[in-house]
């Protein structure tokens, strides 16, 4: 990870930590294509155990099903990189950790694995912020595997900060 990305992610994580503390919220994360980078950035902050309850790196479909209860039917019908799975990942991890808010990241980081429908760089994010609210966003990133993963990391942090800033 480049120093500039690391610095930007660190600043966003600090802002996120402040918002979570201010609003008395806790966070859990479900990561796939980022492979734990989000959890690492969050736990780099001293005192993160106050608001970060934990994360799951559910890289395989099997782990998505077993650990955070993503429905096999959705995986089969829509694939791991989909709105449905991103939302179910966010719902499953919030339940697993009993957190106030959760975010999920699932995508095609590359360099292979892309298709016409799901090209390399496609990443879905899920956010669960209340018992009644789960939503998702889709982004298409360009670059190398690491660049896609880094952009996904920054997007997830920004998504959380923006939501908590409202």
């Amino acid at each position: 990870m480049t120093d500039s990305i690391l610095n930007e992610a660190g600043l966003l994580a600090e802002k996120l930590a402040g918002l979570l503390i201010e609003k008395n919220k806790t966070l859990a994360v479900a990561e796939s294509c980022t492979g734990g980078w989000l959890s690492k950035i969050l736990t780099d902050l001293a005192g993160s155990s106050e608001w970060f309850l934990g994360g799951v790196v559910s890289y395989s479909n099997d782990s998505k099903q077993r650990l955070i209860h993503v429905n096999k039917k959705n995986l089969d019908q829509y694939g791991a990189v989909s709105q449905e799975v991103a939302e179910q990942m966010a719902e499953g991890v919030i339940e697993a950790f009993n957190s106030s808010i959760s975010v999920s990241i699932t995508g095609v980081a590359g360099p292979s694995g892309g298709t016409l429908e799901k090209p390399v760089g496609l990443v879905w994010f899920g956010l669960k912020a209340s018992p009644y609210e789960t939503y998702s966003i889709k982004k298409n990133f360009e670059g190398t595997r690491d660049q896609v993963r880094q952009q996904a990391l920054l997007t997830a942090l920004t998504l959380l900060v923006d939501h908590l800033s409202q």
Side-chain angles (χ1 to χ4, degrees), residues 96-119:
F97 287 93
N98 195 29
S99 63
S100 310
I101 190 170
S102 69
V103 69
S104 67
I105 308 166
T106 183
V108 184
S112 60
T115 65
L116 282 175
E117 289 180 347
K118 295 182 182 182

Side-chain angles (χ1 to χ4, degrees), residues 78-99:
Y78 304 108
V81 181
S82 64
Q83 176 179 6
E84 293 79 6
V85 169
E87 290 180 3
Q88 275 202 311
M89 287 172 66
E91 291 167 353
V93 79
I94 202 170
E95 186 178 309
F97 287 93
N98 195 29
S99 63

Side-chain angles (χ1 to χ4, degrees), residues 28-32 55-71 85-97 103-105:
V29 302
E31 300 181 70
S32 187
V56 173
V57 178
S58 54
Y59 207 71
S60 71
N61 285 352
D62 182 59
S63 66
K64 287 175 180 64
Q65 291 173 69
R66 285 188 303 109
L67 300 175
I68 51 176
H69 309 291
V70 172
N71 187 309
V85 169
E87 290 180 3
Q88 275 202 311
M89 287 172 66
E91 291 167 353
V93 79
I94 202 170
E95 186 178 309
F97 287 93
V103 69
S104 67
I105 308 166

Side-chain angles (χ1 to χ4, degrees), residues 27-67:
L27 172 65
V29 302
E31 300 181 70
S32 187
C33 66
T34 48
W37 276 2
L38 179 56
S39 295
K40 187 246 186 277
I41 291 295
L42 296 173
T43 58
D44 280 349
L45 297 175
S48 59
S49 60
E50 288 180 47
W51 47 266
F52 181 61
L53 300 185
V56 173
V57 178
S58 54
Y59 207 71
S60 71
N61 285 352
D62 182 59
S63 66
K64 287 175 180 64
Q65 291 173 69
R66 285 188 303 109
L67 300 175

